[in-house]
Amino acid sequence: MTEIDAKIDALVPAWLTLPDIAENLGIEVTRVRQLVKEGQLIAVRRGENRALHVPADFIKDGKVVKGLVGTLTLLRDDSFNDEEMLEWLFTPDETLPGTPAQALRENRGTEVKRRAQALAV
């Protein structure tokens, strides 16, 4: 969990606090903290009170977006830190089209994971 850089903060269209994530997923906040600790979600400190926030695009229909966990694992294996992962996931790519985070939400995770794997080469 890191404090977010202003440039990357601006890339992410919306954020949710851990209690918001817990409510959306129908689980306890302690379980959300565990998901962050396990690397299944990325949480960063932002705002005046430096509360932990997760990109809202990581949650859809009461679940963690399909393909996100695998993509985060691939990026970590490529030695990306949390900020670098957020930057990669939320930077528009004309060839995708859109951002990798949008592609995951639209069930185009195979292409996103393929690109994440290619980063290691």
Side-chain angles (χ1 to χ4, degrees), residues 2 5-6 27 30 45 50 84 88 104-105 115-116:
T2 58
D5 175 85
I27 59 176
T30 53
R45 296 203 178 274
R50 299 189 63 240
E84 292 167 333
W88 186 81
L104 287 172
R105 286 183 63 82
R115 290 170 187 235

Side-chain angles (χ1 to χ4, degrees), residues 16-27 59-63:
L16 295 171
T17 63
L18 297 192
D20 294 335
I21 296 287
E23 186 177 322
N24 278 302
L25 298 178
I27 59 176
I59 308 299
K60 181 179 178 184
D61 300 330
K63 297 178 184 169

Side-chain angles (χ1 to χ4, degrees), residues 92-114:
D93 181 341
E94 292 178 15
T95 64
L96 202 45
T99 67
Q102 287 171 321
L104 287 172
R105 286 183 63 82
E106 295 167 0
N107 204 22
R108 295 185 285 136
T110 303
E111 179 62 17
V112 173
K113 284 189 252 178
R114 186 189 67 72

Side-chain angles (χ1 to χ4, degrees), residues 4 16 41 45-46 53 55 59 66 70-71 76 85 93 103 106 113 115 119:
I4 191 75
L16 295 171
L41 290 173
R45 296 203 178 274
R46 59 186 299 274
H53 288 78
I59 308 299
K66 181 180 174 187
T71 302
R76 276 195 188 87
M85 286 189 277
D93 181 341
E106 295 167 0
K113 284 189 252 178
R115 290 170 187 235
L119 295 171

Side-chain angles (χ1 to χ4, degrees), residues 40-51:
Q40 296 182 43
L41 290 173
I42 297 173
V44 295
R45 296 203 178 274
R46 59 186 299 274
E48 286 184 28
N49 61 0
R50 299 189 63 240

